[in-house]
Amino acid sequence: MQKILVANRGEIAVRIIRACMQEGIETVAVYSTADKDALHVQLADDAVCIGGPNSTDSYLNMKNILTAAVSTGADAIHPGFGFLSENAKFARLCEEFGIVFIGPNADVIDKMGNKSKAREMMVKAKVPVVPGSDGAVESVYAGIIVAKEVGYPVLIKASAGGGGRGMRVAESEDEFKKAFEMAQLEAKNAFGDDTMYIERFVKDPKHIEFQILADKYGNVIHLGERDCSVQRRNQKVVEEAPCGIISKDLRDKMGEAAVNAAKFVGYENAGTIEFLLSGEEFFFIEMNTRIQVEHPVTEMITGIDIVKEQIKIASGKKLSISQEEVKFNGHSIECRINAENPKLNFRPNAGEIKLLHIPGGFGLRFDSAIYQGYKIPPFYDSMIGKLIVHAETREAAIKKMRVAIEEIIIEGVEHNLAFCYAIINSDEFAKGVFNTGFIPKHIDRLLETKI
Ligand code: ADP
Ligand code: ADP
Ligand code: MG
């Protein structure tokens, strides 16, 4: 592979371009008119403007992206996360144009990208799923019948959902119809697809996910788990690897289920199997058929560069390590830095970065696309960077994160670092016993903290 077009923006585009440069692979950035001064455009060897600020005109514009790839002679496209990364039609078009899509093949995206279809596949693969509907439900009334069988509370979820959107809890039959219709409307607006399915609402679970790597020859390994239970509105805020409280036995069992799931669907490239963990019981919730935001914590404890592995796999190389050779070293934590105002209900906040100081030192990593003087455009996701630490123990990693947040300076836009600071300094986080209910339960206290 000699030239890769990166069909994304922000920190993940920069992350991918850096990996390519280190491998001696040429890069092509694509950008919207709102992103002409973006870092990914400056770092890439070549850059092509693909349309206006709205994602539908640019980062979701398949025709313009493929034209850019063909006209610059790119061999492959890396889709990053979000945008076209889980779009089977786009993967298929790449294939038709003779361009390698760095990810699984289109049929697998079709099977696993749709969450209700993925549930059906996993039932066949004998991977435990949350009790719920067999695939999608046809109507509110069909949903009510399923909910009665499963037992309240239930979670009504969009098959096409992502980023924590398109889901609503119904505590009882009285609430069902309204919750269903609201979730359906949100799904229709956000994803253009209002297919819904039902799951039992698992109370206060941990979100535990497994990173997997699979080559074209049927070899599949996992790189251990990440605990992503610190969530606000079903969106991850702080992630870590490994999980602070999981036993080796349970890790092996869940890891095996994740590998089986990937094998069953003929998966290829990097992917993540997400589970909910309640006591010792675990349930599959979804597969993400792409690189994930929180992949760095896995990289830090395994020493494996997942983006470079993705490129190698897509080039037809065999996995170079076996499951037994995957070694876990120390502990890693990531804080997602969002340009938002926690005090104003986390309202996204665009504007100019007036002052920027990034800490350094052993075991510290900052993945971002911001620089001093950069103007954050208002059109895209509010995540502007990720602060990642690695240390020998969990306790040392927490301390390292604390010191890093105390030192970092980002001025000009509101951000959530004080909120992250409150989370990592809490007793619950120190003990590792937190679950997905942690932020909602302690929101007032978490909002009070100052760095
Ligand atoms: P991860 O599972 O990697 O933590 P998130 O769910 O936070 O990923 O999503 C990563 C990015 O992709 C976010 O910017 C999110 O808004 C976006 N995203 C995720 N799923 C979808 C989707 N189905 N459609 C559009 N954007 C999505
Ligand atoms: P997305 O595609 O938006 O990432 P997921 O299905 O992965 O959606 O769910 C996101 C989060 O929502 C989970 O990490 C968890 O906190 C919560 N969640 C999802 N399904 C359930 C469930 N059945 N019971 C309780 N919480 C759930
Ligand atoms: Mg998810």
Side-chain angles (χ1 to χ4, degrees):
M1 221 166 261
Q2 265 151 31
K3 201 184 223 184
I4 294 178
L5 180 143
V6 181
N8 216 296
R9 65 178 303 282
E11 70 84 20
I12 192 62
V14 169
R15 160 76 184 92
I16 296 162
I17 290 167
R18 285 180 179 143
C20 292
M21 291 197 291
Q22 290 162 11
E23 293 294 291
I25 298 169
E26 274 185 76
T27 52
V28 181
V30 291
Y31 63 100
S32 73
T33 50
D35 269 342
K36 63 178 179 14
D37 298 323
L39 190 59
H40 74 286
V41 177
Q42 297 179 36
L43 293 182
D45 297 300
D46 207 347
V48 181
C49 182
I50 48 166
N54 285 331
S55 308
T56 39
D57 296 328
S58 48
Y59 299 105
L60 292 172
N61 186 330
M62 301 188 207
K63 192 171 147 224
N64 287 5
I65 292 172
L66 285 162
T67 305
V70 172
S71 64
T72 55
D75 314 299
I77 294 183
H78 195 307
F81 50 68
F83 299 124
L84 296 170
S85 62
E86 298 194 72
N87 189 309
K89 185 176 166 202
F90 183 63
R92 217 161 262 135
L93 279 172
C94 287
E95 208 174 301
E96 279 170 28
F97 279 77
I99 293 166
V100 175
F101 176 83
I102 303 181
N105 68 51
D107 293 338
V108 173
I109 300 178
D110 253 341
K111 275 187 218 155
M112 297 308 274
N114 179 307
K115 293 163 75 174
S116 58
K117 274 199 226 165
R119 257 179 78 83
E120 291 181 73
M121 292 297 292
M122 290 303 102
V123 172
K124 286 190 198 141
K126 303 215 159 31
V127 174
V129 299
V130 187
S133 54
D134 302 327
V137 289
E138 299 285 324
S139 64
V140 183
Y141 305 101
I144 289 175
I145 294 169
V146 175
K148 199 170 239 162
E149 274 168 30
V150 173
Y152 285 93
V154 294
L155 191 60
I156 303 158
K157 302 174 76 171
S159 297
R165 283 174 304 168
M167 57 177 97
R168 281 281 186 293
V169 182
E171 296 284 348
S172 65
E173 197 167 319
D174 294 341
E175 284 180 22
F176 190 91
K177 188 161 181 282
K178 191 159 168 244
F180 189 95
E181 283 164 356
M182 274 165 70
Q184 203 169 28
L185 188 67
E186 189 175 309
K188 179 115 195 139
N189 290 334
F191 314 111
D193 176 351
D194 63 2
T195 313
M196 308 303 289
Y197 67 107
I198 314 282
E199 278 178 3
R200 191 176 85 207
F201 181 71
V202 182
K203 179 125 177 52
D204 293 339
K206 259 191 179 297
H207 172 117
I208 302 290
E209 59 183 35
F210 277 74
Q211 175 71 54
I212 61 132
L213 288 179
D215 66 17
K216 289 184 190 293
Y217 313 98
N219 303 303
V220 185
I221 59 171
H222 73 79
L223 303 183
E225 82 284 3
R226 296 185 281 259
D227 183 338
C228 312
S229 308
V230 179
Q231 299 181 358
R232 184 183 159 266
R233 298 208 171 150
N234 306 315
Q235 274 257 42
K236 301 155 188 169
V237 181
V238 176
E239 302 107 336
E240 65 178 318
C243 167
I245 59 159
I246 206 172
S247 67
K248 183 177 180 311
D249 255 16
L250 187 54
R251 168 176 305 127
D252 290 347
K253 238 164 82 185
M254 292 177 80
E256 199 186 310
V259 167
N260 287 344
K263 280 193 174 154
F264 188 80
V265 296
Y267 197 79
E268 175 194 323
N269 217 288
T272 299
I273 309 279
E274 297 192 334
F275 296 107
L276 295 182
L277 177 66
S278 174
E280 293 277 299
E281 241 188 324
F282 62 90
F283 309 100
F284 168 89
I285 47 169
E286 69 157 340
M287 176 169 202
N288 289 323
T289 59
R290 54 169 165 88
I291 189 87
Q292 269 184 298
V293 175
E294 58 275 20
H295 74 277
V297 292
T298 300
E299 298 184 324
M300 301 306 264
I301 64 161
T302 58
I304 294 171
D305 184 319
I306 297 171
V307 172
K308 288 185 186 170
E309 290 303 317
Q310 287 191 291
I311 296 170
K312 281 189 210 153
I313 290 167
S315 319
K317 299 213 170 71
K318 272 193 182 159
L319 287 183
S320 55
I321 49 167
S322 65
Q323 189 65 59
E324 293 69 41
E325 285 165 336
V326 178
K327 292 280 178 290
F328 301 109
N329 172 27
H331 203 92
S332 180
I333 302 175
E334 170 181 282
C335 289
R336 294 191 186 195
I337 307 175
N338 298 329
E340 63 191 8
N341 189 342
K343 298 244 154 81
L344 286 178
N345 200 21
F346 296 84
R347 189 167 76 190
N349 179 264
E352 183 178 334
I353 306 282
K354 295 258 168 56
L355 186 62
L356 182 67
H357 163 75
I358 303 302
F362 189 73
L364 203 117
R365 171 172 170 183
F366 184 67
D367 276 23
S368 166
I370 59 173
Y371 54 85
Q372 198 161 310
Y374 173 64
K375 289 195 184 74
I376 302 167
F379 308 102
Y380 311 105
D381 200 90
S382 60
M383 194 186 74
I384 54 169
K386 307 180 303 206
L387 185 59
I388 302 132
V389 295
H390 181 234
E392 233 166 86
T393 62
R394 186 168 188 275
E395 211 183 341
I398 294 175
K399 276 194 192 141
K400 200 175 273 187
M401 183 60 89
R402 187 179 301 154
V403 172
I405 297 180
E406 284 164 3
E407 187 183 331
I408 196 171
I409 301 172
I410 303 175
E411 280 179 14
V413 293
E414 299 289 341
H415 57 72
N416 65 336
L417 273 170
F419 186 66
C420 292
Y421 191 70
I423 291 166
I424 60 133
N425 284 324
S426 67
D427 281 349
E428 291 85 350
F429 194 78
K431 292 190 189 112
V433 293
F434 54 88
N435 55 49
T436 58
F438 171 64
I439 289 184
K441 193 163 164 205
H442 299 287
I443 186 78
D444 292 339
R445 164 162 63 97
L446 295 171
L447 284 173
E448 270 166 24
T449 305
K450 289 197 175 63
I451 297 169

